[in-house]
Amino acid sequence: MKPYKRTIYVLGINSYKFEDLKLNLQKLFLETKYIAVPEKYLDKVEKWHKNKKEKKIFFASKSDGNLIDWL
């Protein structure tokens, strides 16, 4: 298997409003295709994705090992 070089960003947010994020974090969200979100916040964060032409893949994260497998 060929190794891939990837970057993982971990963001802490204090609001459920996309507009409350700093501009650099808004840009990062818009440019990111794969997004893991705690399961209880998934519905709110999915609504941030306005441009449905660009497909995003969301993962509902729980406190188990599935997030590591997904990554």
Side-chain angles (χ1 to χ4, degrees):
M1 176 186 285
K2 180 181 176 184
Y4 292 94
K5 182 177 179 181
R6 297 181 177 150
T7 303
I8 297 174
Y9 296 96
V10 178
L11 307 176
I13 58 172
N14 62 357
S15 175
Y16 300 119
K17 294 181 185 175
F18 180 74
E19 298 77 22
D20 288 346
L21 294 175
K22 292 182 178 182
L23 291 178
N24 61 328
L25 298 180
Q26 288 180 18
K27 183 179 182 212
L28 181 62
F29 176 84
L30 295 172
E31 293 174 351
T32 301
K33 182 176 180 177
Y34 299 96
I35 300 174
V37 180
E39 186 176 41
K40 65 182 181 177
Y41 304 124
L42 182 63
D43 290 340
K44 292 176 176 25
V45 173
E46 279 183 321
K47 291 178 184 175
W48 295 357
H49 180 49
K50 309 251 190 263
N51 184 359
K52 302 298 182 187
K53 292 179 185 176
E54 294 179 11
K55 184 173 174 141
K56 289 199 181 297
I57 298 171
F58 290 94
F59 178 81
S61 173
K62 298 179 184 178
S63 295
D64 59 16
N66 289 332
L67 176 60
I68 300 300
D69 294 339
W70 182 75
L71 292 172

